[in-house]
Amino acid sequence: MNRVALSVSRGIARVADAALGPYQSAVVRIGFAATWLLFLLREFPHRQEMYGPDGPWSWDLARQLIADNHAFTILMWSGSQVWFEAVYALAVLSSALFLVGWRTRTMSVLFMVGVLSLQNRSVFMGDGGDNVIHLMAVYLVFTRCGQVWSLDARRERRARAARARGERPRPDRAGPVLWGVLGLVLALATGAGRLGAGWLAVYWGLWAVQVLWWYVVRRAPDGEPRILLDVVANLVHNAALLVIMAEACLIYSTAGWYKIQGSRWQDGTAVYYPLHLDSFSPWPALSDLLSAQGTIVLLVTYGTVAAQVAFPFTLFNRRVKNVLLACMMTEHAVIAVVLGLPFFSLAMIAADAVFLPTSFLRRLGGWASRARGRLAAGRVARALPRPRPHRRPAEEPTEPAQAGSPGLSRT
């Protein structure tokens, strides 16, 4: 009994003392922010047809649907073209800032607002990858995904270094100003009745928690209230990270079990048919080459089903999990190229990244840091003026010695 109690207490201490998986949560943040940002930039010329007020799914139809399902989207606050462009620009900007980890807590909320606003405006424009981004945008709000590989982490390192030198770090002014502006916007939206009761509780709760965090850090940075907030934040982060992992397992397991029920997956020919659809053949010659190999089609069909069904069970064995994870990421990369589904593949790879081992992610970060250092050194070297080659002074010409001159040698 004592051993069980000791194990339980150690587990609780580990979950409460630290935010687990800092590198995994960071790579998930970077992956989904990059996927959504690239999607928005690629679809920028077509944004009107997809989410604009004059699209096929009209503003009135979207308003009726939102009234029935109570989904959140700020695009329905106004039907003007200016408002649509502002929301689209907000989605692009928040994705870019969330990617680099600038004010990660704030940007995670704005990233979620952008994703939900655009996707819920035209629900028939999405696919499986959009659904994954939709879910992960909500989960990432509750994670501390800016602990590493972010501008916030760099700012925190500089502040710690300044305190270690006995200096006083510069106070954070951008954060309070940003949350003050967002609080004003939230108050205006509340007064105008734009938010339902549930979303009012969510957004005002997030805003109040951030204000409380700022106040405690400012007044008692080493006191018990700060310790309590850290414990609660760690618990919420670890729970959200567990939900992300469970969601990824659920996606693969349900996809695998549904495939088992299909006759084309049972006879090993399911992969053959998408290769001959015009919508999924960006490289017709490559599709024809792959579909002509019957053995490869059979192996890929059965291998996909086996990998998706078995993946949740491989989490109990680290080596098997890593091998299968590499295979699944490779498969998604192949899908991106062969079937022309880059954003679906990127979303799934970003979801898979939560299972990557910490040692590999740290090595990956080290490689990226060294590559960035070499690039920076190369830019500095190119910017410096090149030294001019040293020219030796020309030798004076010697005239022939005259008779009686000092240069005349004596004989």
Side-chain angles (χ1 to χ4, degrees), residues 157-389:
R157 287 195 303 270
R158 291 179 176 178
R160 286 198 302 266
R163 287 191 291 267
R165 295 191 301 268
E167 302 175 359
R168 185 177 180 181
R170 293 184 301 176
D172 180 18
R173 295 186 176 90
V177 170
L178 188 59
W179 277 94
V181 172
L182 293 178
L184 178 61
V185 173
L186 190 56
L188 294 176
T190 303
R194 300 294 187 181
L195 295 172
W199 289 108
L200 274 176
V202 169
Y203 287 118
W204 276 117
L206 292 173
W207 189 86
V209 166
Q210 184 60 29
V211 172
L212 177 63
W213 188 282
W214 174 82
Y215 179 80
V216 169
V217 171
R218 184 177 179 87
R219 295 297 181 182
D222 299 322
E224 293 184 358
R226 171 61 189 274
I227 297 175
L228 177 61
L229 288 179
D230 273 327
V231 169
V232 174
N234 292 336
L235 291 174
V236 173
H237 165 89
N238 296 331
L241 198 62
L242 179 62
V243 171
I244 292 175
M245 298 171 70
E247 187 68 40
C249 292
L250 184 63
I251 290 172
Y252 282 122
S253 60
T254 53
W257 286 109
Y258 273 113
K259 285 182 175 67
I260 289 177
Q261 303 175 35
S263 58
R264 295 294 178 264
W265 291 96
Q266 293 175 6
D267 60 25
T269 61
V271 175
Y272 174 84
Y273 297 98
L275 296 174
H276 291 275
L277 295 176
D278 294 337
S279 301
F280 299 103
S281 299
W283 315 98
L286 180 59
S287 299
D288 293 339
L289 177 63
L290 293 176
S291 62
Q293 308 296 324
T295 304
I296 294 179
V297 171
L298 181 68
L299 292 176
V300 172
T301 302
Y302 286 150
T304 299
V305 176
Q308 291 181 346
V309 172
F311 180 74
F313 302 100
T314 62
L315 299 180
F316 298 100
N317 189 297
R318 183 178 302 177
R319 293 182 179 179
V320 177
K321 182 261 297 182
N322 291 339
V323 172
L324 191 58
L325 189 62
C327 294
M328 296 178 72
M329 286 186 168
T330 303
E331 181 183 9
H332 287 306
V334 173
I335 290 174
V337 176
V338 177
L339 298 183
L341 297 172
F343 300 108
F344 167 77
S345 299
L346 285 175
M348 294 309 303
I349 291 174
D352 294 342
V354 73
F355 299 106
L356 289 174
T358 302
S359 58
F360 170 76
L361 292 176
R362 296 186 67 174
R363 286 197 300 269
L364 186 64
W367 297 336
S369 298
R370 288 191 292 271
R372 183 180 60 186
R374 286 194 292 267
L375 290 176
R379 287 195 298 266
V380 171
R382 288 192 296 269
L384 293 176
R386 296 183 178 180
R388 295 180 178 179

